[in-house]
Amino acid sequence: MLEARLEQASILKKVVDAIKDLVQDCNFDCNDSGIALQAMDNSHVALVSMMLKAEGFSPYRCDRNIALGVNLTSLTKVLRAAQGEDMLTIKAEDAPDVLNLVFESSENDRISEYDLKLMDIDQEHLGIPETEYAATITMPAAEFRRICTDLAAMSESVGIEASKDGVKFSCNGDIGNGSVTLRSHTNIDKPDLNVDIELTEPVSLTFSLKYLVNFCKAAALSNQVKICLSSEVPLLVEYNLSGSSYLRFYLAPKIGDEE
Amino acid sequence: MARTRSTKPSTAASATDSDSTKSKSTIALVSHAGEAPKVFILPSTATSGARIVTLPNPRSSQPSRYLACPETGIYEFTKIATPKSVPRSWLIEAAPASNGAETGNQGANPSAQVTMGSELFVATAIDPLFLVLPALADAQPSKGSDEVKRLFLSSDDHLDKLPQESSHLSEIMRWDTTRRLVESRMGAICDTVEAGDESMFRLNEKKLVDAIFQKAKRMSESGLPPSMEEKFVKKVLQAPMMHRVVRTGESQLSSNSDVGSGSSTPQTDLATSQSTISTTETSDTAVSQASTAATSVAEEPAEENFASALQASPEVVEQQRLKVAFEFICSSYVAPVLADKLQKSFSGAGGLKDFSLLNDYIASLEKLRSETMAVRAQDYGRKRNQDELDDEARMEKKRKLEEEKKKKASESRGVRDLKKVNTSGMKKLSHFFQKK
């Protein structure tokens, strides 16, 4: 039996919105520590890993490990029914056929209830080791989204180059080339606008912009985004949710294919 | 009688009595820490000197529990348990006689107890020859030939080859009767040589097969347990039902067509000679006669078919039982490598028992089964004509198209767009991260 209540239905809505363009169907793995999700895109070059800790819910109850196989497009349709400040309660039996979602509005005592049919999904889980990254960049999530969409207009891929001078996003397309450089920057009034670059050694990698633009759909979840790079390993883009819950994206770098 | 009289007059005594029963119930419900007590059924022949010992299991060589009695031999334990989905427990009460003795004790010991474990362990005699068999059979075939070279060794030398880890074998071998029993059983399957005052043993596979054969024979003659009989004898020897049903259907079909032709003539009579009532009457009776005849025809072949189905003769059933019994013994008490060898020499050509009857029967059964399958396939084929096949293909196509559409609908635009992304030079993530 799973029963979990989110004070803000919008959190789940935003999470699902952020990953529904990357994966089609995936399992929400529920256990007593929270709700986790790991899924790869069709080409298996990108991976999304989500963890909603039990502390983020009140109350949270999960007696047995349950895998909820969900089509994300269908879940989006149901979550669209949530209004601004609705509370969301999700419920499922131990061997569920459906996922029950209840939206409650505190303003006008409106309760809407939906059952979403579940499916059996065979998914392989990858073990992701803790990695010491050569460069870790923390920046406003909106800024990262801006850079990605701007550069995506010019080219398919972006080179990310982190050195002691700063971090440079550069692209080279048919119509020309462009780049954006950021330096460490502290804004005392608005700490959300800080740019922080931690560097142990310089890195330079190339990534597909289409995927990065997709990742940026999670920008609504968090003011800041953390980008971790090391040569020859996948890029990590992490959005922190409330508490220690997170939404992480991994993307394989483009290697040796420099047109 | 005496007890009730002694307790009843004194109120104090009865008070303590009721107290004690109360305390009994509370004590009995106290949960036990650690492992739950186990319930055993021990053979009444076992003496008080019997001990539960650890000996290597003859099949797996893993240490297992046995009951060894210095007088009557060695017993194995069979665990009888309910499935996990049906939780049970034991309520164990001391015998009433001891209960009476305890009332004087102010109920110091609870006389009833509830145990969590629902298992029941039944001790049944095991032939010690199985226990020593791994030691006797333990020999590597010499290179270049299949012949296994075995040496004459004393029983102790043989037993030293058994896994010593947490084994009480050497202790129980110190009991004289047990040693004599083990050695006599070894004698039954070994060639023996007297060397001084000690006998030396060497495994004789022929004797071993013979010994197990005798056991299997005894087991099959006294009847296999019903579940084994059902699963391994009846089911294996059963002829397919489909065969009979198909034949019944065919005969019914033909009899029905008989009815048609029989009734069609009176009907035409009816149409041509409407003038006389008598003729129609006769034709009516003809129809009814025809129909009754038809029903009787339809019934008869059905019965006949049941009788004519391939039936296993008692000899065949007996042989199958024997085979199952032998296989059961081999698979429960003999190490897998040796068991294969034994089964070959048992049921193979030139074996102890002639299984040709059984083999013939199974071969014909196989044939019958494949025929039934063929008939069934033909039956399907007959029912569908070309038009239907075309329809089916069209429906299939339509269904596929619809499925694709549905699949597309469950896919978001982002996912569709990502399919077009150039991923050249990007390795799959499973290259970086290990699969769990």
Side-chain angles (χ1 to χ4, degrees):
Chain A
M1 171 88 189
L2 165 79
E3 190 170 344
R5 195 160 86 156
L6 265 179
E7 286 298 327
Q8 287 175 301
S10 57
I11 293 180
L12 186 66
K13 198 174 171 181
K14 285 174 190 163
V15 167
V16 174
D17 273 340
I19 55 184
K20 75 158 199 297
D21 285 340
L22 206 59
V23 289
Q24 189 177 334
D25 311 309
C26 63
N27 279 327
F28 285 82
D29 298 310
C30 311
N31 58 32
D32 53 1
S33 66
I35 301 177
L37 175 153
Q38 196 198 78
M40 278 189 277
D41 74 311
N42 279 321
S43 325
H44 284 214
V45 296
L47 182 144
V48 52
S49 164
M50 177 208 77
M51 179 73 212
L52 294 175
K53 289 275 169 65
E55 299 90 79
F57 300 89
S58 62
Y60 182 86
R61 174 186 161 204
C62 183
D63 309 331
R64 215 164 284 176
N65 293 2
I66 307 172
L68 303 168
V70 173
N71 175 278
L72 291 177
T73 317
S74 315
L75 182 57
T76 317
K77 285 175 186 164
V78 173
L79 287 174
R80 227 173 258 159
Q83 291 173 320
E85 297 296 303
D86 275 4
M87 275 188 297
L88 167 66
T89 310
I90 58 173
K91 280 185 241 168
E93 300 290 320
D94 275 344
D97 296 324
V98 290
L99 173 66
N100 179 264
L101 299 106
V102 179
F103 303 104
E104 288 169 79
S105 162
S106 49
E107 281 169 22
N108 53 2
D109 288 339
R110 178 180 189 267
I111 296 175
S112 42
E113 184 170 356
Y114 296 86
D115 277 338
L116 182 68
K117 283 185 197 161
L118 297 176
M119 47 210 264
D120 285 325
I121 301 168
D122 274 336
Q123 255 179 351
E124 50 189 27
H125 268 262
L126 299 181
I128 298 168
E130 287 287 320
T131 313
E132 291 283 328
Y133 287 96
T136 303
I137 305 146
T138 315
M139 66 161 95
E143 176 65 45
F144 182 54
R145 183 176 58 190
R146 174 92 198 269
I147 292 169
C148 289
T149 45
D150 285 353
L151 297 183
M154 293 195 85
S155 169
E156 267 199 347
S157 51
V158 58
I160 305 180
E161 205 181 320
S163 66
K164 61 181 193 311
D165 295 332
V167 56
K168 183 176 174 191
F169 300 85
S170 57
C171 73
N172 202 337
D174 292 340
I175 58 165
N177 61 61
S179 72
V180 179
T181 309
L182 295 179
R183 295 207 171 81
S184 275
H185 164 83
T186 315
N187 189 327
I188 294 169
D189 294 335
K190 295 175 185 162
D192 280 351
L193 298 179
N194 283 357
V195 176
D196 180 43
I197 302 170
E198 282 172 40
L199 194 75
T200 51
E201 59 181 288
V203 222
S204 174
L205 288 163
T206 308
F207 298 98
S208 161
L209 268 171
K210 284 254 170 63
Y211 276 91
L212 289 183
V213 169
N214 245 328
F215 294 172
C216 287
K217 295 196 170 135
L221 278 164
S222 168
N223 290 324
Q224 290 258 311
V225 60
K226 197 163 90 182
I227 301 158
C228 304
L229 300 140
S230 264
S231 49
E232 311 255 313
V233 301
L235 159 89
L236 165 61
V237 179
E238 179 175 327
Y239 294 88
N240 267 315
L241 313 180
S242 59
S244 49
S245 303
Y246 59 79
L247 180 62
R248 289 178 185 159
F249 298 95
Y250 293 86
L251 179 63
K254 284 192 173 232
I255 296 170
D257 188 65
E258 292 282 335
E259 280 143 281
Chain B
M1 266 307 260
R3 192 153 41 103
T4 48
R5 222 184 266 162
S6 65
T7 50
K8 247 193 181 164
S10 76
T11 46
S14 71
T16 52
D17 209 0
S18 64
D19 258 358
S20 69
T21 48
K22 240 186 232 164
S23 61
K24 261 181 225 162
S25 63
T26 46
I27 289 169
L29 287 176
V30 164
S31 63
H32 271 275
E35 244 177 284
K38 295 185 167 66
V39 179
F40 290 91
I41 294 184
L42 301 181
S44 54
T45 50
T47 55
S48 54
R51 293 284 175 272
I52 291 179
V53 296
T54 306
L55 299 174
N57 181 296
R59 185 163 172 87
S60 62
S61 302
Q62 295 302 312
S64 316
R65 298 289 199 180
Y66 292 89
L67 178 75
C69 168
E71 303 298 324
T72 54
I74 302 170
Y75 302 85
E76 63 173 336
F77 289 117
T78 306
K79 181 167 139 184
I80 299 168
T82 51
K84 273 236 167 75
S85 52
V86 195
R88 302 265 163 95
S89 36
W90 285 102
L91 173 62
I92 304 161
E93 197 186 5
S98 62
N99 197 9
E102 257 169 36
T103 39
N105 258 346
Q106 304 286 314
N109 293 321
S111 60
Q113 200 176 13
V114 179
T115 74
M116 219 162 60
S118 64
E119 299 102 344
L120 171 66
F121 294 88
V122 182
T124 47
I126 180 173
D127 194 332
L129 85 80
F130 290 119
L131 291 171
V132 298
L133 190 56
L136 295 170
D138 174 53
Q140 301 298 322
S142 53
K143 271 179 197 163
S145 72
D146 285 342
E147 269 309 287
V148 177
K149 201 158 186 195
R150 292 204 172 90
L151 302 171
F152 279 102
L153 288 174
S154 70
S155 56
D156 280 331
D157 288 339
H158 272 306
L159 296 181
D160 281 346
K161 288 192 222 155
L162 286 174
Q164 297 295 316
E165 194 191 344
S166 67
S167 166
H168 297 125
L169 189 65
S170 52
E171 273 91 338
I172 66 165
M173 283 302 278
R174 265 190 237 137
W175 296 336
D176 250 1
T177 28
T178 311
R179 170 171 287 272
R180 245 177 287 135
L181 177 76
V182 170
E183 287 187 356
S184 78
R185 291 310 298 158
M186 280 167 77
I189 54 166
C190 292
D191 298 325
T192 51
V193 183
E194 296 296 324
D197 52 351
E198 225 181 0
S199 14
M200 310 290 265
F201 298 90
R202 185 179 71 179
L203 181 68
N204 182 331
E205 273 180 27
K206 254 199 188 129
K207 278 189 180 173
L208 173 62
V209 174
D210 198 47
I212 297 180
F213 173 64
Q214 293 305 332
K215 282 180 193 298
K217 207 165 156 189
R218 210 162 346 132
M219 183 173 163
S220 67
E221 270 163 12
S222 55
L224 298 181
S227 57
M228 269 174 91
E229 176 86 19
E230 177 68 36
K231 199 168 171 194
F232 296 109
V233 179
K234 271 196 191 146
K235 239 189 195 156
V236 172
L237 297 181
Q238 198 173 46
M241 289 298 272
M242 251 328 265
H243 187 68
R244 298 177 219 169
V245 174
V246 167
R247 272 164 72 173
T248 327
E250 273 173 358
S251 57
Q252 258 171 345
L253 213 75
S254 60
S255 63
N256 277 346
S257 63
D258 278 350
V259 178
S261 62
S263 58
S264 65
T265 33
Q267 262 172 3
T268 47
D269 277 357
L270 195 104
T272 48
S273 56
Q274 273 178 333
S275 55
T276 53
I277 303 159
S278 60
T279 44
T280 51
E281 261 177 51
T282 50
S283 66
D284 268 352
T285 50
V287 171
S288 65
Q289 263 173 5
S291 66
T292 50
T295 49
S296 65
V297 166
E299 269 165 25
E300 259 170 29
E303 275 168 27
E304 204 179 56
N305 272 323
F306 275 114
S308 70
L310 195 54
Q311 197 79 43
S313 68
E315 290 85 29
V316 170
V317 174
E318 191 240 326
Q319 282 183 7
Q320 174 69 12
R321 269 194 208 125
L322 188 63
K323 200 171 162 196
V324 169
F326 189 89
E327 277 164 10
F328 172 73
I329 293 173
C330 282
S331 64
S332 351
Y333 297 110
V334 182
V337 184
L338 190 62
D340 284 350
K341 226 194 271 174
L342 290 181
Q343 269 175 23
K344 252 178 234 157
S345 59
F346 172 66
S347 52
L352 260 177
K353 172 105 184 163
D354 184 20
F355 281 107
S356 55
L357 259 176
L358 176 66
N359 290 340
D360 287 351
Y361 176 79
I362 290 197
S364 56
L365 199 63
E366 241 358 86
K367 213 173 127 202
L368 195 64
R369 274 188 190 143
S370 58
E371 268 172 20
T372 320
M373 288 302 283
V375 165
R376 216 186 295 178
Q378 256 177 26
D379 235 34
Y380 272 127
R382 220 179 299 151
K383 274 178 201 149
R384 299 176 177 191
N385 52 26
Q386 202 53 43
D387 270 2
E388 276 174 344
L389 273 180
D390 281 356
D391 265 4
E392 201 109 311
R394 222 173 298 139
M395 290 291 278
E396 184 78 8
K397 226 180 190 174
K398 209 174 165 190
R399 217 178 21 241
K400 259 191 190 156
L401 260 171
E402 261 169 26
E403 239 163 56
E404 230 160 70
K405 230 185 207 171
K406 221 175 174 184
K407 212 175 167 192
K408 262 198 187 140
S410 71
E411 206 176 66
S412 69
R413 220 185 74 209
V415 171
R416 255 196 318 274
D417 288 349
L418 274 189
K419 278 186 183 163
K420 294 177 202 149
V421 173
N422 173 16
T423 54
S424 61
M426 293 164 82
K427 285 186 175 139
K428 293 203 167 169
L429 280 174
S430 48
H431 170 81
F432 302 102
F433 303 137
Q434 293 303 310
K435 268 178 200 158
K436 256 187 210 165

